[in-house]
Amino acid sequence: KYSIYRKNCNPELEWDMHDFHTHNEFEIYLFHSGNCHYLIKNKVYHLQPNDLILLNGLTLHRANPLPTEMYERSVVHFSSEVMEPIITTLKFPELLKPFSTFNNCLFRDIDQKLLNQIEQSIQAISELSQGEGIKADKCEDPTLNCRFYIAKMQTLVIQLLFQIYELSQTHQNKHIHVETGKELHVRR
């Protein structure tokens, strides 16, 4: 199962989408613009453009954008159960390690070249999920078309996971200060 989107929204009109929630999939969240705090359990991250968050979807979380400003982000949800057989075949179980080692964490000041690669991968995943660029749809065999789509999507997600793994290796000693809910309340 995959869920992918890049979205601009006016938080004032779409406020219900920013409630605390959980889901079964891992989440890769890339912040593009706006004024937003991201809450994960009792931690509050003040987001800056190009911040990337890795999280286990089972952890209570929500975006909290300023209601008066546009807010743009890209999000990829994926099931580890779907990806694990491919990762096993690749003989690289460490590919999902960033989601346990850096679970529910923010990466900032990402190397521009790697950030561009991550953005391109997310864009390719988004385009495929929206049906853009699928060439097998001309095939009269719907089973082949479905297998083509699944294989291509899994390949793109694996590519993104390699980039996330590379990011995790270059950011091992960088920690972003996060405010607890209490600290944020005191600062107000």
Side-chain angles (χ1 to χ4, degrees):
K1 180 181 176 187
Y2 307 96
S3 173
I4 301 100
Y5 55 89
R6 178 174 178 144
K7 189 163 186 176
N8 283 318
C9 74
N10 182 336
E12 211 168 43
L13 302 175
E14 300 181 47
W15 191 251
D16 60 321
M17 68 185 296
H18 303 296
D19 291 336
F20 274 106
H21 64 280
T22 63
H23 43 78
N24 292 327
E25 299 84 17
F26 285 134
E27 181 172 317
I28 301 167
Y29 175 102
L30 181 60
F31 179 70
H32 300 289
S33 65
N35 189 340
C36 183
H37 288 88
Y38 203 93
L39 294 76
I40 304 173
K41 286 171 121 180
N42 66 339
K43 295 181 179 175
V44 180
Y45 297 90
H46 180 73
L47 298 182
Q48 297 177 12
N50 301 322
D51 280 354
L52 186 133
I53 298 173
L54 299 182
L55 64 93
N56 179 333
L58 294 175
T59 305
L60 197 62
H61 62 281
R62 73 175 277 209
N64 188 21
L66 190 65
T68 57
E69 292 186 28
M70 293 298 285
Y71 158 60
E72 183 180 11
R73 78 279 188 211
S74 296
V75 179
V76 176
H77 294 153
F78 70 94
S79 166
S80 62
E81 291 81 21
V82 170
M83 301 311 292
E84 282 172 354
I86 301 163
I87 292 168
T88 300
T89 301
L90 292 171
K91 297 182 178 161
F92 196 70
E94 297 84 0
L95 206 51
L96 289 177
K97 192 173 180 182
F99 291 90
S100 58
T101 304
F102 296 100
N103 187 32
N104 305 330
C105 119
L106 179 141
F107 292 96
R108 181 167 286 158
D109 300 324
I110 301 170
D111 172 76
Q112 192 60 50
K113 182 178 177 186
L114 182 56
L115 179 63
N116 290 343
Q117 293 170 352
I118 290 169
E119 287 179 327
Q120 289 170 359
S121 292
I122 292 172
Q123 181 65 33
I125 291 167
S126 177
E127 288 172 2
L128 180 62
S129 74
Q130 295 170 15
E132 297 174 25
I134 297 178
K135 303 298 183 212
D137 63 357
K138 306 230 186 292
C139 179
E140 293 181 18
D141 180 355
T143 305
L144 176 63
N145 190 34
C146 182
R147 287 186 294 122
F148 174 84
Y149 173 84
I150 291 169
K152 191 168 182 180
M153 182 63 75
Q154 289 174 335
T155 301
L156 291 171
V157 171
I158 288 290
Q159 179 178 326
L160 177 59
L161 291 177
F162 272 108
Q163 293 159 348
I164 297 297
Y165 180 80
E166 184 179 340
L167 173 65
S168 74
Q169 297 304 295
T170 60
H171 274 66
Q172 281 187 339
N173 297 318
K174 291 186 180 182
H175 299 282
I176 303 301
H177 172 72
V178 294
E179 297 176 297
T180 65
K182 288 179 183 178
E183 289 173 324
L184 184 61
H185 181 73
V186 168
R187 192 167 57 83
R188 286 187 200 155

